[in-house]
């Protein structure tokens, strides 16, 4: 289920492209009407160093949990009915000293931490809270020191539905600090220093929907360096989303993660990512991969991708590694969502390693060995086994068996780059729309440069009305076509209509 930045075959020389695509001329977009600014005008979600204090006394009717009794929380959960409120007294709470001593809540249980209440796994327990009971609330508690295995989580281990994680600190655990189920709400919480992810929004059966991630600080995750331990695993980041149908990610401070900040991977749909501050992550600020229909707006995105981008550049890699990476993802009107595009607008991107890359791997489609989301197919095909020849060679499967980067609109953003601040001279200043030359498998109907031509000219991917500050280059079709701003705006590309290089524009 991991991504690959690229899977190159050496492209062959292509004739000059003289048309803008099969859809004909498009209307000239209007220039920016509301200018993004370069400052963060909203309060930061500084919740890790300023945790909200819980109730100093047990609420009426609550069961009090004693930190001096090992396993008291799990035992009292077992002995009380659903819809019970538990108040954890100040101090360090421990579970019984074996791997599977986790708390298994009942429907509607609520767990409230007093000031200074900590549930500590003592590097012995794998999980803190598990089971399938819905509508559980965990509030104002610190959960730390658990050792969940790779790809598993500490809180809501079994991705139960309707959980509320509110003003809670989940830190210094192995694996993911938190898993997600349907209708889950994570607000005002600190997801810090976990070994793999801050949160892994993944459900083993079915899809996660109605997810809200709001006002959290998500920082310093992937302390175990999983991308180095398993190169190409695609298994790190502040938050990873898998097959989530409907998510609002807003007002978070996502910073200093050892990998991507936010990463939506494989058949996600209907995301709104807005008003976040995403900064200083080693990898991309945002990766949206093999997914559909999203709005990315009013975010401040700065100083991201400097570690990963620089590493690839120093290896001589020509791929335009970017801080916002849209990979085999696009708008799809046939899939129900609040938008039928991917729209990226009114964001400020400042001093990142490169800007936005739109990419489509010609060799990645259902049943292809190049599909790193092994076993998955697009949301447009009900029977993936149909995506083989001869059927895949003709409509509708020719289109529906592949994830396509299409209907992406990038407008009214401000892109600021000071190379001296980034510490680079080349390869950190690129916008891109491109694909590789299709080569395999031998039965693929996508061999050649057809996919590169489509993503560049035929799939309604447009930049317009943006402001660029600094020296930028643009890559189109394949990595060998590096353009200046005038070439990018001219035939055959005709991108960034109404955009400007004037640093005074846009506020």
């Amino acid at each position: 289920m991991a991504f690959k930045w690229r899977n190159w075959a050496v492209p062959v020389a292509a004739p000059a492209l003289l048309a803008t695509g099969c859809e004909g001329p498009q209307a000239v977009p209007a220039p920016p009407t509301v200018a993004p600014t370069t400052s963060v005008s909203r309060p930061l979600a500084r919740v890790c160093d300023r945790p909200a204090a819980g109730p100093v006394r047990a609420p009426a009717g609550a069961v009090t949990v004693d930190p001096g009794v090992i396993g008291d929380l799990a035992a009292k959960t077992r002995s009380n009915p659903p819809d019970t409120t538990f108040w954890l007294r100040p101090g360090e709470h421990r579970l019984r000293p074996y791997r599977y001593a986790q708390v298994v809540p009942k429907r509607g249980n609520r767990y409230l931490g007093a000031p200074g209440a900590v549930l500590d796994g003592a590097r012995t327990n794998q999980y803190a809270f598990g089971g399938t009971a819905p509508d559980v609330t965990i509030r104002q508690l610190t959960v730390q020191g658990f050792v969940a295995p790779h790809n598993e989580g500490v809180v809501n281990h079994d991705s139960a539905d309707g959980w509320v994680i509110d003003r809670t600190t989940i830190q210094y655990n192995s694996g993911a600090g938190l898993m997600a189920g349907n209708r889950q709400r994570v607000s005002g919480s600190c997801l810090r220093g976990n070994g793999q992810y801050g949160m892994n929004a993944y459900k083993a059966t079915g899809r996660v929907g109605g997810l809200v991630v709001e006002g959290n600080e998500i920082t310093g995750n992937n302390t175990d360096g999983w991308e180095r331990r398993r190169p190409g695993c695609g298994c790190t980041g502040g938050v990873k989303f898998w097959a989530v149908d409907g998510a609002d990610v807003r007002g978070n401070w996502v910073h200093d993660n050892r990998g991507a900040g936010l990463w939506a991977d494989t058949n996600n749909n209907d995301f709104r990512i807005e008003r976040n501050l995403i900064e200083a992550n080693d990898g991309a600020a945002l990766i949206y991969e093999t997914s559909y229909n999203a709005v990315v707006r009013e975010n401040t995105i700065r100083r991201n991708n400097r570690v990963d981008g620089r590493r690839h550049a120093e290896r001589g890699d020509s791929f335009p590694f970017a801080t916002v990476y849209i990979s085999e993802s696009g708008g799809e009107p046939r899939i129900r969502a609040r938008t039928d595009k991917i729209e990226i607008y009114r964001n400020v991107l400042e001093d990142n390693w490169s800007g936005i890359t739109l990419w489509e791997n010609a060799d990645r489609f259902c049943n292809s060995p190049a599909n790193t989301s092994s076993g998955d197919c697009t949301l447009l095909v009900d029977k993936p086994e149909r995506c083989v020849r001869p059927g895949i060679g003709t409509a509708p499967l020719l289109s529906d068996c592949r994830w396509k980067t299409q209907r992406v609109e990038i407008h009214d953003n401000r892109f600021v780059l000071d190379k001296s601040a980034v510490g680079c001279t080349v390869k950190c200043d690129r916008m891109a729309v491109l694909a590789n030359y299709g080569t395999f498998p031998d039965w693929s109907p996508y061999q050649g440069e057809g996919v590169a031509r489509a993503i560049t000219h035929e799939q309604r991917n447009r930049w317009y009305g943006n402001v660029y500050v600094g020296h930028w280059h643009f890559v189109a079709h394949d990595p060998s076509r590096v353009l200046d701003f005038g070439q990018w705006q001219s035939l055959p590309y005709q991108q960034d209509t109404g955009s400007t290089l004037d640093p005074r524009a846009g506020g």
Side-chain angles (χ1 to χ4, degrees), residues 94-102 120-127 144-148 173-174:
R94 294 286 182 90
L95 304 177
R96 293 177 62 191
Y98 63 93
R99 288 187 296 171
Y100 306 120
Q102 65 264 25
D120 196 304
R123 311 305 298 177
T124 299
N125 309 115
Q126 289 192 350
Y127 318 117
Q144 65 186 31
F146 288 81
V147 286
N173 304 286
S174 299

Side-chain angles (χ1 to χ4, degrees), residues 17 33 45 56 94 109 157 199 232 246 292 302 305 310 365 379 438 489:
L17 299 173
T33 55
V56 296
R94 294 286 182 90
N109 281 0
H157 170 263
M199 182 171 74
Y292 304 90
R302 61 193 185 194
N305 200 35
R310 188 186 315 279
F365 53 92
L379 295 180
Q489 288 190 309

Side-chain angles (χ1 to χ4, degrees), residues 496-507:
D496 264 317
T497 300
S499 297
T500 180
L501 297 175
D502 185 349
R504 297 169 297 178

Side-chain angles (χ1 to χ4, degrees), residues 252-290:
N252 302 284
W253 185 19
V254 184
H255 66 99
D256 294 284
N257 293 286
R258 306 278 75 82
L262 303 173
W263 189 344
D265 185 354
T266 309
N267 287 339
N268 297 279
N269 176 52
D270 195 13
F271 271 53
R272 287 189 176 178
I273 301 170
E274 54 191 358
R275 300 189 298 279
N276 302 283
L277 173 58
I278 310 176
E279 64 178 341
N281 297 286
D282 284 2
L286 169 65
I287 300 173
Y288 205 70
E289 179 185 1
T290 53

Side-chain angles (χ1 to χ4, degrees), residues 26 37 61 92 122 152 154 164 197 200 224 277 366 396 452 458:
Q26 298 175 351
T37 67
E92 185 178 275
E152 297 187 37
V154 170
V164 173
Y197 306 113
N200 186 14
D224 292 335
L277 173 58
C366 304
E458 300 167 5

Side-chain angles (χ1 to χ4, degrees), residues 185-266:
R185 186 179 189 93
V186 186
S187 60
S189 294
C190 169
L191 308 179
R192 171 170 62 182
N194 296 289
Q196 188 178 3
Y197 306 113
M199 182 171 74
N200 186 14
Y202 169 76
K203 197 174 180 72
T205 56
R207 294 165 62 82
V208 174
L211 177 63
V212 176
V213 182
E214 182 173 18
N216 306 284
E217 183 174 353
I218 303 165
T219 181
N221 297 289
N222 186 31
T223 59
D224 292 335
W226 280 102
E227 293 291 345
R228 291 186 297 274
R229 295 170 66 176
R230 298 186 182 181
C233 72
C235 60
T236 61
V239 181
K240 191 76 181 279
F241 304 90
W242 308 89
V244 174
D245 190 10
D248 291 292
V249 182
R250 56 181 177 247
N252 302 284
W253 185 19
V254 184
H255 66 99
D256 294 284
N257 293 286
R258 306 278 75 82
L262 303 173
W263 189 344
D265 185 354
T266 309

Side-chain angles (χ1 to χ4, degrees), residues 65-68 88-94 114-120 141-142:
V65 181
D66 186 351
L88 284 74
R89 293 176 55 191
E92 185 178 275
H93 296 255
R94 294 286 182 90
V118 177
L119 179 59
D120 196 304
L141 179 65
T142 294

Side-chain angles (χ1 to χ4, degrees), residues 124-408:
T124 299
N125 309 115
Q126 289 192 350
Y127 318 117
F129 294 91
T132 59
D135 304 326
V136 171
T137 296
I138 300 172
R139 180 169 287 140
Q140 296 164 316
L141 179 65
T142 294
V143 179
Q144 65 186 31
F146 288 81
V147 286
H150 182 251
N151 289 336
E152 297 187 37
V154 170
V155 175
N156 197 11
H157 170 263
D158 299 293
S159 302
D161 297 339
W163 284 39
V164 173
I165 312 299
D166 178 47
R167 291 169 288 170
T168 286
T169 297
I170 305 174
Q171 63 183 6
Y172 312 137
N173 304 286
S174 299
L178 174 64
M179 302 295 286
N182 288 309
R183 300 178 290 104
Q184 182 157 300
R185 186 179 189 93
V186 186
S187 60
S189 294
C190 169
L191 308 179
R192 171 170 62 182
N194 296 289
Q196 188 178 3
Y197 306 113
M199 182 171 74
N200 186 14
Y202 169 76
K203 197 174 180 72
T205 56
R207 294 165 62 82
V208 174
L211 177 63
V212 176
V213 182
E214 182 173 18
N216 306 284
E217 183 174 353
I218 303 165
T219 181
N221 297 289
N222 186 31
T223 59
D224 292 335
W226 280 102
E227 293 291 345
R228 291 186 297 274
R229 295 170 66 176
R230 298 186 182 181
C233 72
C235 60
T236 61
V239 181
K240 191 76 181 279
F241 304 90
W242 308 89
V244 174
D245 190 10
D248 291 292
V249 182
R250 56 181 177 247
N252 302 284
W253 185 19
V254 184
H255 66 99
D256 294 284
N257 293 286
R258 306 278 75 82
L262 303 173
W263 189 344
D265 185 354
T266 309
N267 287 339
N268 297 279
N269 176 52
D270 195 13
F271 271 53
R272 287 189 176 178
I273 301 170
E274 54 191 358
R275 300 189 298 279
N276 302 283
L277 173 58
I278 310 176
E279 64 178 341
N281 297 286
D282 284 2
L286 169 65
I287 300 173
Y288 205 70
E289 179 185 1
T290 53
S291 295
Y292 304 90
N293 301 326
V295 171
V296 181
R297 64 186 175 192
E298 299 177 357
N299 301 283
T300 298
I301 300 172
R302 61 193 185 194
R303 306 196 314 276
N304 296 282
N305 200 35
R306 293 188 185 183
V307 174
D308 288 359
R310 188 186 315 279
R311 181 172 62 247
H312 288 286
E314 289 174 347
R315 293 173 180 171
D317 199 321
S318 63
F319 190 84
F321 294 92
T323 199
V324 174
Y325 181 55
I326 308 300
S327 175
E328 294 94 19
S329 296
E332 177 48 74
R334 291 175 290 174
I335 298 174
R336 185 175 180 180
R338 291 167 288 182
T339 181
D340 60 4
K341 300 181 286 189
I342 291 181
E343 194 169 10
I344 303 172
Y345 67 98
R346 294 189 65 191
N347 303 283
V348 175
L349 286 81
E350 183 172 2
D351 291 341
N352 302 283
W353 190 279
S354 288
I356 298 175
T357 287
L358 308 187
W359 160 251
E360 190 171 330
N361 183 347
D363 299 323
R364 188 177 189 183
F365 53 92
C366 304
N367 295 321
S368 168
N371 178 20
T372 52
S373 297
S374 302
D376 287 287
C377 192
T378 71
L379 295 180
L380 300 172
V381 177
D382 57 351
K383 296 179 179 180
E385 62 272 14
R386 297 169 61 208
C387 292
V388 294
R389 61 182 180 187
I392 197 173
T394 57
L397 295 181
L398 180 65
S399 176
D400 291 352
C401 288
R402 66 175 300 110
W403 294 272
K404 292 193 288 189
T405 301
Q406 63 179 8
R407 300 172 61 87
V408 181

